[in-house]
Amino acid sequence: MGSTLAIIERSHRGTVEQQYAHVLWLAHGLHRQSPMIVLLRGAAALYSLNPQWESPLEIGGVPWGSYPDYRSALERLRVDGAGLLVAADSLKRLGLDDAQLLPGIAAVDDDEIVRVAAECDRIWYL
């Protein structure tokens, strides 16, 4: 079975509802079934940063729980052999092109994204 390119573009959606079962949790479960390369683009490029933003969530001025642990989810994917990429263009658009990335995540340009996509059997948008 060939590999899958999973493209994640939207970030922090359903943060309250998905504290434990977020999109990177899903990607990890899918990777365990079939090899996966995860590409973070758009606002999801924020997941690749070290350190990530960790302000407490407030609802009606009252602190609530905590955000999903995206850093640990990416580390689990890395340890299990998933490829981890972040679109360099997305980092640049966010003004973060010089930001420190989490270990194991590579910033790639559009040409590299096309090359990776061409080598994958499937492309999914998560």
Side-chain angles (χ1 to χ4, degrees), residues 24-67:
L24 292 172
W25 174 85
L26 172 64
H28 184 252
L30 294 171
H31 171 70
R32 297 181 89 181
Q33 303 300 316
S34 173
M36 184 169 291
I37 299 168
V38 175
L39 171 64
L40 304 171
R41 293 178 48 104
L46 294 170
Y47 294 160
S48 70
L49 301 181
N50 188 22
Q52 295 176 1
W53 178 58
E54 296 184 9
S55 295
L57 176 65
E58 290 188 11
I59 299 175
V62 177
W64 177 89
S66 60
Y67 288 120

